[in-house]
Amino acid sequence: MFQLEQASFAIPNRALLAPTTLTFRRGKVYGLIGHNGSGKSTLIKLMAKQNPLSSGEIFVRGKALRHWGSREFAREVAYLPQHLPTATQLTARELIQMGRYAWNGLLKSNKEKDKSAVENALILTHTEKFAEQQIDVLSGGERQRIWLAMLLAQQSNFLLLDEPLAALDIAHQVEVMKLIKKLSRELNLGVVIVIHDVNLAAAFCDELVALHSGKLLVKGTPGQIMTTETLQRIYGLELNVIPHPQTQVPVVFY
């Protein structure tokens, strides 16, 4: 379980995230939504130990974030930043193997466990055929699945994903979201994802967390959040909402 208790982050003369209390559990996909600058990436960076807390506490399994060592924390939480590091000259398999650092460090390894974790990650993400290809020659959707495979090889309990769909076309966005939800169910992973497309968020997330101007506005299921009134509060626009004719999931349009 991830627990935020009055967690905040500020820079001189500006609060980027007001004191926020939230709980995230395993086995669910949580979508962080809101306008640009609302505090979504700030929140996920705090959870990923990328930025220090200004006040409050964040707990993982009841233990304050500040008491977790880097490798110990990586065994619990895997983080995919918004701007991915370059992977020039690495094959997909080599990149995925980097996810084993949390367990082995740089010098020692458990070859059988490492091999099993990497192969399982390739299978789960349906990327076996890309294993020996260089990352740079793959499409955006293929690369994103390889990065997810690296996180899975890390064998953490939570995945924190900061705008993983930003550079993808709609087909690859849907493909990645389907995969994320499937993995959450099959592996009992807690997934927190920064996402801009509210329709994709409603279709694939179990709960939505809406932020506005650095403050938590509302948290709930897509059915609870995706109303004209609530979306007006989140985005400042009067949006129409209808149920999808097949799934009944709320669909938003202007």
Side-chain angles (χ1 to χ4, degrees):
M1 184 188 299
F2 241 116
Q3 293 171 287
L4 286 76
E5 294 187 1
Q6 295 297 294
S8 75
F9 182 71
I11 58 176
N13 302 316
R14 185 183 174 195
L16 298 183
L17 184 71
T20 300
T21 297
L22 284 166
T23 298
F24 300 99
R25 301 180 186 276
R26 293 177 63 183
K28 285 190 172 184
V29 180
Y30 298 87
L32 302 185
I33 64 172
H35 60 80
N36 289 338
S38 62
K40 303 183 298 298
S41 289
T42 299
L43 172 59
I44 210 166
K45 285 178 182 177
L46 289 179
M47 294 173 66
K49 290 189 69 175
Q50 299 298 300
N51 288 333
L53 283 163
S54 297
S55 66
E57 289 279 13
I58 298 178
F59 299 91
V60 177
R61 290 201 291 117
K63 181 177 176 179
L65 221 58
R66 53 196 166 89
H67 295 315
W68 286 87
S70 296
R71 282 178 54 199
E72 181 190 21
F73 182 70
R75 295 172 192 166
E76 288 292 327
V77 180
Y79 169 61
L80 193 67
Q82 181 178 349
H83 302 292
L84 295 175
T86 57
T88 306
Q89 305 303 314
L90 285 178
T91 67
R93 186 184 300 278
E94 289 169 339
L95 179 63
I96 295 167
Q97 286 172 339
M98 292 174 65
R100 299 301 298 161
Y101 169 76
W103 297 92
N104 300 318
L106 291 175
L107 300 178
K108 62 180 182 177
S109 67
N110 184 320
K111 291 185 179 180
E112 287 304 313
K113 283 189 176 180
D114 290 348
K115 182 179 179 181
S116 176
V118 170
E119 292 304 320
N120 193 45
L122 285 163
I123 292 167
L124 286 168
T125 53
H126 308 292
T127 52
E128 304 100 306
K129 64 183 178 181
F130 307 127
E132 309 309 327
Q133 295 186 37
Q134 289 193 355
I135 295 293
D136 294 344
V137 305
L138 301 178
S139 72
E142 291 162 353
R143 282 197 301 271
Q144 206 69 326
R145 282 158 58 194
I146 296 298
W147 280 100
L148 282 173
M150 188 196 74
L151 299 190
L152 295 178
Q154 195 169 319
Q155 295 183 321
S156 305
N157 293 318
F158 274 89
L159 303 184
L160 307 180
L161 311 175
D162 193 354
E163 295 193 45
L165 310 180
L168 305 182
D169 59 44
I170 183 62
H172 285 123
Q173 289 179 0
V174 171
E175 175 188 330
V176 169
M177 288 304 296
K178 282 182 177 178
L179 177 60
I180 287 169
K181 186 157 190 176
K182 179 174 179 283
L183 294 172
S184 173
R185 296 294 189 266
E186 291 182 356
L187 303 179
N188 194 30
L189 297 174
V191 181
V192 183
I193 176 172
V194 175
I195 184 168
H196 281 288
D197 189 315
V198 289
N199 287 321
L200 281 177
F204 293 104
C205 296
D206 299 294
E207 293 190 26
L208 303 179
V209 177
L211 299 167
H212 190 285
S213 301
K215 297 179 181 179
L216 174 63
L217 196 61
V218 63
K219 177 187 178 186
T221 65
Q224 294 169 328
I225 302 295
M226 307 288 273
T227 68
T228 298
E229 295 77 13
T230 302
L231 292 168
Q232 170 78 39
R233 292 172 60 202
I234 298 170
Y235 295 107
L237 283 175
E238 188 169 333
L239 300 169
N240 298 292
V241 183
I242 59 172
H244 189 282
Q246 295 177 330
T247 63
Q248 300 304 303
V249 169
V251 176
V252 177
F253 63 97
Y254 179 68

